[in-house]
PDB file of all heavy atoms in Angstrom:
ATOM      1  N   TRP A  23       1.614  22.279   2.227  1.00 96.00           N
ATOM      2  CA  TRP A  23       1.870  22.866   0.911  1.00 96.00           C
ATOM      3  C   TRP A  23       3.370  23.086   0.785  1.00 96.00           C
ATOM      4  O   TRP A  23       4.023  23.516   1.732  1.00 96.00           O
ATOM      5  CB  TRP A  23       1.108  24.174   0.755  1.00 96.00           C
ATOM      6  CG  TRP A  23      -0.349  23.932   0.548  1.00 96.00           C
ATOM      7  CD1 TRP A  23      -1.279  23.716   1.514  1.00 96.00           C
ATOM      8  CD2 TRP A  23      -1.028  23.839  -0.698  1.00 96.00           C
ATOM      9  NE1 TRP A  23      -2.505  23.501   0.935  1.00 96.00           N
ATOM     10  CE2 TRP A  23      -2.387  23.578  -0.419  1.00 96.00           C
ATOM     11  CE3 TRP A  23      -0.629  23.956  -2.018  1.00 96.00           C
ATOM     12  CZ2 TRP A  23      -3.328  23.429  -1.412  1.00 96.00           C
ATOM     13  CZ3 TRP A  23      -1.568  23.822  -3.003  1.00 96.00           C
ATOM     14  CH2 TRP A  23      -2.906  23.554  -2.700  1.00 96.00           C
ATOM     15  N   VAL A  24       3.917  22.788  -0.372  1.00 96.00           N
ATOM     16  CA  VAL A  24       5.360  22.829  -0.592  1.00 96.00           C
ATOM     17  C   VAL A  24       5.682  23.902  -1.629  1.00 96.00           C
ATOM     18  O   VAL A  24       5.040  23.980  -2.672  1.00 96.00           O
ATOM     19  CB  VAL A  24       5.876  21.457  -1.079  1.00 96.00           C
ATOM     20  CG1 VAL A  24       7.363  21.503  -1.357  1.00 96.00           C
ATOM     21  CG2 VAL A  24       5.553  20.379  -0.074  1.00 96.00           C
ATOM     22  N   LEU A  25       6.679  24.736  -1.315  1.00 96.00           N
ATOM     23  CA  LEU A  25       7.231  25.679  -2.283  1.00 96.00           C
ATOM     24  C   LEU A  25       8.581  25.117  -2.684  1.00 96.00           C
ATOM     25  O   LEU A  25       9.466  24.954  -1.837  1.00 96.00           O
ATOM     26  CB  LEU A  25       7.377  27.069  -1.675  1.00 96.00           C
ATOM     27  CG  LEU A  25       7.842  28.141  -2.642  1.00 96.00           C
ATOM     28  CD1 LEU A  25       7.059  29.416  -2.400  1.00 96.00           C
ATOM     29  CD2 LEU A  25       9.306  28.407  -2.546  1.00 96.00           C
ATOM     30  N   GLU A  26       8.719  24.788  -3.960  1.00 95.00           N
ATOM     31  CA  GLU A  26       9.921  24.133  -4.462  1.00 95.00           C
ATOM     32  C   GLU A  26      10.488  24.969  -5.607  1.00 95.00           C
ATOM     33  O   GLU A  26       9.760  25.305  -6.542  1.00 95.00           O
ATOM     34  CB  GLU A  26       9.542  22.732  -4.930  1.00 95.00           C
ATOM     35  CG  GLU A  26      10.674  21.892  -5.391  1.00 95.00           C
ATOM     36  CD  GLU A  26      10.183  20.500  -5.752  1.00 95.00           C
ATOM     37  OE1 GLU A  26       9.453  20.369  -6.746  1.00 95.00           O
ATOM     38  OE2 GLU A  26      10.534  19.559  -5.038  1.00 95.00           O
ATOM     39  N   PHE A  27      11.764  25.294  -5.531  1.00 94.00           N
ATOM     40  CA  PHE A  27      12.397  26.106  -6.568  1.00 94.00           C
ATOM     41  C   PHE A  27      12.712  25.261  -7.791  1.00 94.00           C
ATOM     42  O   PHE A  27      13.103  24.098  -7.677  1.00 94.00           O
ATOM     43  CB  PHE A  27      13.679  26.749  -6.035  1.00 94.00           C
ATOM     44  CG  PHE A  27      13.424  27.767  -4.969  1.00 94.00           C
ATOM     45  CD1 PHE A  27      13.530  27.444  -3.630  1.00 94.00           C
ATOM     46  CD2 PHE A  27      13.054  29.051  -5.311  1.00 94.00           C
ATOM     47  CE1 PHE A  27      13.293  28.378  -2.657  1.00 94.00           C
ATOM     48  CE2 PHE A  27      12.808  29.997  -4.342  1.00 94.00           C
ATOM     49  CZ  PHE A  27      12.916  29.664  -3.006  1.00 94.00           C
ATOM     50  N   GLU A  28      12.545  25.862  -8.970  1.00 91.00           N
ATOM     51  CA  GLU A  28      12.871  25.172 -10.215  1.00 91.00           C
ATOM     52  C   GLU A  28      14.354  25.354 -10.510  1.00 91.00           C
ATOM     53  O   GLU A  28      14.994  26.283 -10.024  1.00 91.00           O
ATOM     54  CB  GLU A  28      12.025  25.731 -11.357  1.00 91.00           C
ATOM     55  CG  GLU A  28      10.552  25.449 -11.177  1.00 91.00           C
ATOM     56  CD  GLU A  28       9.698  26.054 -12.268  1.00 91.00           C
ATOM     57  OE1 GLU A  28      10.253  26.771 -13.133  1.00 91.00           O
ATOM     58  OE2 GLU A  28       8.495  25.820 -12.247  1.00 91.00           O
ATOM     59  N   GLN A  29      14.891  24.476 -11.334  1.00 88.00           N
ATOM     60  CA  GLN A  29      16.312  24.548 -11.666  1.00 88.00           C
ATOM     61  C   GLN A  29      16.592  25.733 -12.570  1.00 88.00           C
ATOM     62  O   GLN A  29      15.856  25.993 -13.517  1.00 88.00           O
ATOM     63  CB  GLN A  29      16.755  23.273 -12.357  1.00 88.00           C
ATOM     64  CG  GLN A  29      16.850  22.098 -11.437  1.00 88.00           C
ATOM     65  CD  GLN A  29      17.488  20.919 -12.131  1.00 88.00           C
ATOM     66  OE1 GLN A  29      17.350  20.752 -13.324  1.00 88.00           O
ATOM     67  NE2 GLN A  29      18.187  20.112 -11.368  1.00 88.00           N
ATOM     68  N   SER A  30      17.679  26.434 -12.277  1.00 86.00           N
ATOM     69  CA  SER A  30      18.049  27.586 -13.090  1.00 86.00           C
ATOM     70  C   SER A  30      19.146  27.243 -14.102  1.00 86.00           C
ATOM     71  O   SER A  30      19.394  28.010 -15.015  1.00 86.00           O
ATOM     72  CB  SER A  30      18.514  28.737 -12.198  1.00 86.00           C
ATOM     73  OG  SER A  30      19.650  28.353 -11.467  1.00 86.00           O
ATOM     74  N   GLU A  31      19.782  26.107 -13.921  1.00 87.00           N
ATOM     75  CA  GLU A  31      20.791  25.679 -14.893  1.00 87.00           C
ATOM     76  C   GLU A  31      20.662  24.175 -15.112  1.00 87.00           C
ATOM     77  O   GLU A  31      20.141  23.449 -14.275  1.00 87.00           O
ATOM     78  CB  GLU A  31      22.207  26.036 -14.436  1.00 87.00           C
ATOM     79  CG  GLU A  31      22.687  25.304 -13.215  1.00 87.00           C
ATOM     80  CD  GLU A  31      24.104  25.714 -12.841  1.00 87.00           C
ATOM     81  OE1 GLU A  31      24.366  26.910 -12.683  1.00 87.00           O
ATOM     82  OE2 GLU A  31      24.944  24.801 -12.705  1.00 87.00           O
ATOM     83  N   ALA A  32      21.159  23.725 -16.244  1.00 88.00           N
ATOM     84  CA  ALA A  32      21.027  22.314 -16.609  1.00 88.00           C
ATOM     85  C   ALA A  32      21.975  21.450 -15.779  1.00 88.00           C
ATOM     86  O   ALA A  32      23.041  21.898 -15.363  1.00 88.00           O
ATOM     87  CB  ALA A  32      21.334  22.132 -18.083  1.00 88.00           C
ATOM     88  N   ARG A  33      21.573  20.219 -15.573  1.00 88.00           N
ATOM     89  CA  ARG A  33      22.444  19.262 -14.887  1.00 88.00           C
ATOM     90  C   ARG A  33      23.463  18.715 -15.889  1.00 88.00           C
ATOM     91  O   ARG A  33      23.182  18.603 -17.070  1.00 88.00           O
ATOM     92  CB  ARG A  33      21.613  18.118 -14.327  1.00 88.00           C
ATOM     93  CG  ARG A  33      20.727  18.540 -13.201  1.00 88.00           C
ATOM     94  CD  ARG A  33      19.913  17.368 -12.696  1.00 88.00           C
ATOM     95  NE  ARG A  33      19.121  17.762 -11.559  1.00 88.00           N
ATOM     96  CZ  ARG A  33      19.326  17.305 -10.331  1.00 88.00           C
ATOM     97  NH1 ARG A  33      20.277  16.431 -10.099  1.00 88.00           N
ATOM     98  NH2 ARG A  33      18.577  17.724  -9.342  1.00 88.00           N
ATOM     99  N   ARG A  34      24.619  18.350 -15.372  1.00 89.00           N
ATOM    100  CA  ARG A  34      25.662  17.803 -16.236  1.00 89.00           C
ATOM    101  C   ARG A  34      26.383  16.692 -15.492  1.00 89.00           C
ATOM    102  O   ARG A  34      26.473  16.706 -14.269  1.00 89.00           O
ATOM    103  CB  ARG A  34      26.625  18.907 -16.655  1.00 89.00           C
ATOM    104  CG  ARG A  34      27.285  19.604 -15.506  1.00 89.00           C
ATOM    105  CD  ARG A  34      28.041  20.849 -15.938  1.00 89.00           C
ATOM    106  NE  ARG A  34      28.667  21.484 -14.798  1.00 89.00           N
ATOM    107  CZ  ARG A  34      28.050  22.261 -13.930  1.00 89.00           C
ATOM    108  NH1 ARG A  34      26.771  22.503 -14.063  1.00 89.00           N
ATOM    109  NH2 ARG A  34      28.691  22.799 -12.910  1.00 89.00           N
ATOM    110  N   PRO A  35      26.912  15.726 -16.217  1.00 91.00           N
ATOM    111  CA  PRO A  35      27.629  14.630 -15.549  1.00 91.00           C
ATOM    112  C   PRO A  35      29.015  15.078 -15.086  1.00 91.00           C
ATOM    113  O   PRO A  35      29.702  15.850 -15.758  1.00 91.00           O
ATOM    114  CB  PRO A  35      27.721  13.550 -16.615  1.00 91.00           C
ATOM    115  CG  PRO A  35      27.596  14.277 -17.900  1.00 91.00           C
ATOM    116  CD  PRO A  35      26.758  15.493 -17.644  1.00 91.00           C
ATOM    117  N   ASP A  36      29.399  14.579 -13.938  1.00 88.00           N
ATOM    118  CA  ASP A  36      30.726  14.845 -13.409  1.00 88.00           C
ATOM    119  C   ASP A  36      31.735  14.025 -14.217  1.00 88.00           C
ATOM    120  O   ASP A  36      31.538  12.827 -14.427  1.00 88.00           O
ATOM    121  CB  ASP A  36      30.771  14.442 -11.935  1.00 88.00           C
ATOM    122  CG  ASP A  36      32.110  14.744 -11.303  1.00 88.00           C
ATOM    123  OD1 ASP A  36      32.564  15.896 -11.407  1.00 88.00           O
ATOM    124  OD2 ASP A  36      32.703  13.812 -10.714  1.00 88.00           O
ATOM    125  N   PRO A  37      32.825  14.628 -14.707  1.00 89.00           N
ATOM    126  CA  PRO A  37      33.749  13.882 -15.551  1.00 89.00           C
ATOM    127  C   PRO A  37      34.487  12.754 -14.812  1.00 89.00           C
ATOM    128  O   PRO A  37      34.830  11.747 -15.425  1.00 89.00           O
ATOM    129  CB  PRO A  37      34.739  14.933 -16.039  1.00 89.00           C
ATOM    130  CG  PRO A  37      34.532  16.125 -15.218  1.00 89.00           C
ATOM    131  CD  PRO A  37      33.191  16.029 -14.574  1.00 89.00           C
ATOM    132  N   LEU A  38      34.689  12.890 -13.510  1.00 91.00           N
ATOM    133  CA  LEU A  38      35.437  11.876 -12.782  1.00 91.00           C
ATOM    134  C   LEU A  38      34.557  10.701 -12.352  1.00 91.00           C
ATOM    135  O   LEU A  38      34.846   9.543 -12.647  1.00 91.00           O
ATOM    136  CB  LEU A  38      36.101  12.505 -11.558  1.00 91.00           C
ATOM    137  CG  LEU A  38      36.917  11.554 -10.678  1.00 91.00           C
ATOM    138  CD1 LEU A  38      38.089  10.980 -11.479  1.00 91.00           C
ATOM    139  CD2 LEU A  38      37.413  12.273  -9.450  1.00 91.00           C
TER     140      LEU A  38
END
Side-chain angles (χ1 to χ4, degrees):
W23 286 84
V24 178
L25 185 139
E26 184 177 68
F27 293 97
E28 295 177 356
Q29 287 188 329
S30 62
E31 67 180 54
R33 291 179 177 247
R34 58 190 180 280
D36 182 53
L38 179 63

